[in-house]
Amino acid sequence: MELHIVIEGNKDLAGQVYRQLRDAILTGRLAPGEQVPPSRLLATQLGLSRKTVSEAYSRLTLDKLLVGRIGSGTFVNTPAEAKPKTRRFESQDLAAGKLIAHWLDQSFPLLMRHVGPETRSQYDFMGGIPVRRQFPQEEWRQCVLYGLRQISESRGFYAETEGLPALREAIARHVSFSRGVQCTAADVLVTNGAQQALDLIARVLVEPGSVTAVEDPGYPPARMLFSAQGAKVVGIPVDSEGMQVDLIPDGTRLIYVTPAHQFPLGMPMSPARRTALLARARELRAIVIEDDYDSEFRYEGRPMDSLQSMDQDGLVAFVGTFSKSMNPELRVGYVIAPPAILRAMTVVKGLSDWHTPTMTQWAMAKFIDEGYLQKHIRRCHGIYVARREKLHAALNGHLKPWMRAVPTTAGFHLAAELTAEVDMVQLLRLARRVDVALYTLDEFYYRIEPQPALFFGYGAIESLDIEVALGRVATILNELTS
């Protein structure tokens, strides 16, 4: 790459090179240890004599801003005390300072944030993370190589905003087979994870002051997203049957629910409540987002129809993702959008990022078509069954004096209500001391007073570690309440 130096006129040429390189080093644009071009090469690039550039390099070497290494070249040697000369604007100084502050106030719940190895506990019940050691590396590698071959044969143009036909057809077959969704490939919009699907829907439907109903407790990133778009977000309480539909206010234009496996409590929405929700949406002429979340993993009872399959009015947007069944880092999701909003969402998607990376789309399409996805889900299901049983055994055993599990039939987390008076702050702090990461449900509540409860994700913790970790928790609880 060419080093950015601008030469003006024909005077003090060595000085111009010297000053610009010096400023670049002192302001950090040239990083410590970075190699600068050889004097002959830089002279050719700038149209100067080698002697001129060598003179500038010599002055910088005397200033100890460059250092030569025999046989290697010349490198930047920034002094520790070097600082930028100019003061940059802070966010609060800008004309849009208040809006920036609004975004800075948004924060993901602790148990959904990225955790680096340096802060991760050995026994971690973080949620939303699928089983890590079972990822089908060899099968996925084959599919990625297939994707690379496909894009190498392409003409180098942008792809379809809606998603590659092959992937849209694969997704349509997958959700029709596994979730009973009524759709064809033409109804599918491929997105960068479920979160982008929610963003596209919100940008199409929400404007400042729009009323949006969400579950309370519920999924914070959805609520935060709608609020960031200017919506008036209303939290609707949930009970054993799901969202209390009769509390959805007049004027609501968007309703967000997780009917298959309520997040975070875990219960499915009852058939009667689903019927009532669709009737209320029809009355309001509101779109319902059915976030399918992690319902691939079901353990008890008969499967329920998706809300979308019950919809006769074209009001339900079915949002899904491969983050929970595969890997969150793939960033592949989808929405089965009602005809009334599909075209508008496609336009917004095109304006946002044109399309999801095609190599990943080709790989995902082949992964589904070859049966690898269903095979992987079955493998993970068996692992989650074992981990879930260990959690229930502990909650019904040595943890029974202090908590009970909220009934759930799907997913890879469960909630446990506290049945005894416990200092939750102390419990979490003492658990961390013995390398156990526990999380409360507090951050999932919006307007309702949080109930004392713990969230146990069992995707990130090994089966053999669950009993050890919960044994330590029981010891702490016994000390706190004795």
Side-chain angles (χ1 to χ4, degrees), residues 52-335:
T52 299
V53 175
S54 296
E55 181 183 334
Y57 277 14
S58 296
R59 291 175 63 183
L60 291 165
T61 302
L62 288 173
D63 292 344
K64 297 183 179 180
L65 295 178
L66 291 181
V67 59
R69 299 175 190 167
I70 297 175
S72 297
T74 305
F75 299 82
V76 174
N77 182 43
T78 309
E81 66 274 10
K83 294 181 180 179
K85 296 180 179 180
T86 57
R87 174 188 174 276
R88 296 180 180 273
F89 276 95
E90 301 292 338
S91 60
Q92 64 268 21
D93 300 326
L94 297 177
K98 288 185 178 179
L99 182 58
I100 295 171
H102 166 73
W103 284 103
L104 294 176
D105 285 341
Q106 310 293 331
S107 62
F108 272 59
L110 179 63
L111 64 81
M112 303 182 75
R113 297 175 197 160
H114 171 75
V115 178
E118 67 282 354
T119 58
R120 187 178 298 145
S121 297
Q122 180 178 357
Y123 308 107
D124 201 320
F125 289 99
M126 177 172 283
I129 301 176
V131 59
R132 290 176 289 182
R133 297 186 180 180
Q134 295 298 321
F135 187 81
Q137 297 285 359
E138 180 56 31
E139 292 92 338
W140 181 247
R141 184 185 67 82
Q142 295 174 21
C143 295
V144 168
L145 291 176
Y146 170 79
L148 286 171
R149 289 195 297 273
Q150 295 302 310
I151 63 172
S152 70
E153 296 170 3
S154 71
R155 293 175 296 170
F157 299 138
Y158 289 107
E160 302 93 325
T161 298
E162 300 90 335
L164 296 179
L167 180 56
R168 296 166 71 200
E169 289 169 5
I171 289 171
R173 289 194 300 271
H174 171 67
V175 297
S176 298
F177 177 82
S178 63
R179 298 291 295 117
V181 173
Q182 304 290 326
C183 71
T184 66
D187 303 310
V188 178
L189 176 62
V190 178
T191 62
N192 296 321
Q195 194 67 19
Q196 189 188 40
L198 299 180
D199 178 62
L200 297 176
I201 295 171
R203 286 206 263 171
V204 166
L205 298 175
V206 171
E207 58 188 346
S210 303
V211 178
T212 299
V214 299
E215 296 166 318
D216 193 2
Y219 183 59
R223 167 174 51 80
M224 293 158 55
L225 176 65
F226 303 145
S227 176
Q229 298 283 5
K232 177 184 177 183
V233 179
V234 179
I236 308 298
V238 298
D239 57 22
S240 60
E241 294 189 69
M243 176 184 274
Q244 297 180 32
V245 174
D246 57 318
L247 298 180
I248 298 175
D250 292 340
T252 298
R253 66 168 62 175
L254 183 61
I255 304 167
Y256 173 85
V257 291
T258 51
H261 178 227
Q262 201 279 329
F263 188 87
L265 298 180
M267 78 288 287
M269 182 178 282
S270 70
R273 197 62 65 81
R274 291 170 184 240
T275 301
L277 175 58
L278 292 174
R280 182 60 172 151
R282 185 186 313 115
E283 180 183 352
L284 295 167
R285 296 180 299 165
I287 290 292
V288 178
I289 298 176
E290 177 180 13
D291 191 341
D292 202 47
Y293 200 61
D294 55 6
S295 64
E296 296 98 335
F297 306 105
R298 186 178 53 82
Y299 312 107
E300 299 174 10
R302 296 178 179 176
M304 285 190 182
D305 287 335
S306 63
L307 193 66
Q308 190 269 358
S309 68
M310 301 170 60
D311 174 28
Q312 302 297 316
D313 302 296
L315 294 175
V316 175
F318 183 91
V319 172
T321 179
F322 297 107
S323 294
K324 303 301 180 286
S325 56
M326 289 279 289
N327 189 317
E329 292 177 306
L330 295 180
R331 307 312 306 140
V332 181
Y334 54 89
V335 55

